[in-house]
């Protein structure tokens, strides 16, 4: 029911307001809880308890158009930073996916097999692609913050 969504989103909000306190405790921006970091190829990663959730940015899903097929790796696949790990196909184009970090695939988003359009509808939540271990946390520092990524996109459009 519609009310359930509102209740769920209201429950989710308080945790967002805790983030500034965590920010002060962090020794590095990369240690922020689930702060999204971006690659120049438009993948994002958010790390929580040593596991990175990977997806594509809103900019990328808009450029691709309606995603009709997702090719994702098997669980256990070892990836190096910038390794190709799959592809997304849309009615307009196909786009390779590149790992933002070094690690091992621990989970794939099986919902995308039946509903690849989740990548378009919810690229930062339900449309995530893979989860992976983070073997080299320092690699997070080489990725762009959300602000830096927004500037990067603007520079591409100019």
């Amino acid at each position: 029911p519609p009310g359930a969504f509102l209740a769920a989103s209201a429950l989710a909000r308080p945790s967002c307001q805790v983030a500034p306190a965590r920010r002060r405790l962090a020794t590095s921006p990369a240690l922020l809880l689930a702060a999204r970091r971006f690659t120049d190829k438009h993948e994002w990663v958010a790390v929580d308890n040593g596991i990175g959730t990977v997806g594509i940015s809103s900019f990328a899903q808009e450029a691709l158009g309606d995603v009709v097929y997702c090719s994702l790796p098997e669980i256990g696949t070892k990836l190096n930073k910038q390794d190709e790990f799959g592809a997304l196909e849309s009615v307009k184009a196909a786009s390779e996916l590149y790992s933002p970090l070094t690690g091992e695939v621990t989970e794939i988003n099986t919902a995308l097999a039946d509903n690849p359009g989740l990548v378009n509808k919810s690229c930062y939540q339900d449309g995530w692609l893979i989860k992976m271990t983070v073997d080299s946390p320092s690699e997070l520092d080489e990725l762009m913050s959300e602000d830096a990524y927004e500037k990067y996109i603007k520079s591409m459009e100019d």
Side-chain angles (χ1 to χ4, degrees):
F5 173 75
L6 290 174
S9 65
L11 289 173
R13 259 190 215 111
S15 66
C16 294
Q17 295 170 6
V18 178
R22 282 196 189 102
R23 188 168 291 140
R24 283 192 296 274
L25 297 172
T27 55
S28 152
L31 296 177
L32 290 180
L33 182 69
R36 259 191 298 273
R37 308 292 286 184
F38 293 83
T39 71
D40 60 358
K41 293 185 169 70
H42 311 289
E43 286 85 13
W44 59 265
V45 61
V47 178
D48 191 12
N49 290 326
I51 298 294
T53 300
V54 178
I56 64 164
S57 70
S58 183
F59 176 86
Q61 67 81 21
E62 284 175 26
L64 258 179
D66 293 339
V67 174
V68 294
Y69 179 74
C70 301
S71 169
L72 298 173
E74 292 182 14
I75 291 171
T77 301
K78 293 190 185 330
L79 298 170
N80 289 312
K81 184 176 177 176
Q82 299 179 339
D83 278 358
E84 189 177 321
F85 72 82
L88 297 177
E89 294 178 21
S90 71
V91 287
K92 291 199 291 192
S95 181
E96 288 76 29
L97 299 165
Y98 298 93
S99 181
L101 302 169
T102 299
E104 183 176 324
V105 177
T106 58
E107 192 178 340
I108 60 167
N109 189 346
T110 54
L112 298 179
D114 294 329
N115 192 357
L118 284 172
V119 171
N120 299 107
K121 291 185 193 87
S122 182
C123 65
Y124 295 119
Q125 259 90 45
D126 299 336
W128 61 272
L129 303 169
I130 64 170
K131 295 192 181 197
M132 65 188 297
T133 60
V134 179
D135 291 0
S136 303
S138 63
E139 290 177 343
L140 285 162
D141 295 328
E142 299 163 24
L143 301 176
M144 288 178 265
S145 67
E146 207 143 352
D147 286 346
Y149 179 69
E150 303 250 335
K151 289 184 179 111
Y152 172 70
I153 291 169
K154 282 192 176 78
S155 74
M156 289 176 18
E157 293 170 339
D158 290 343

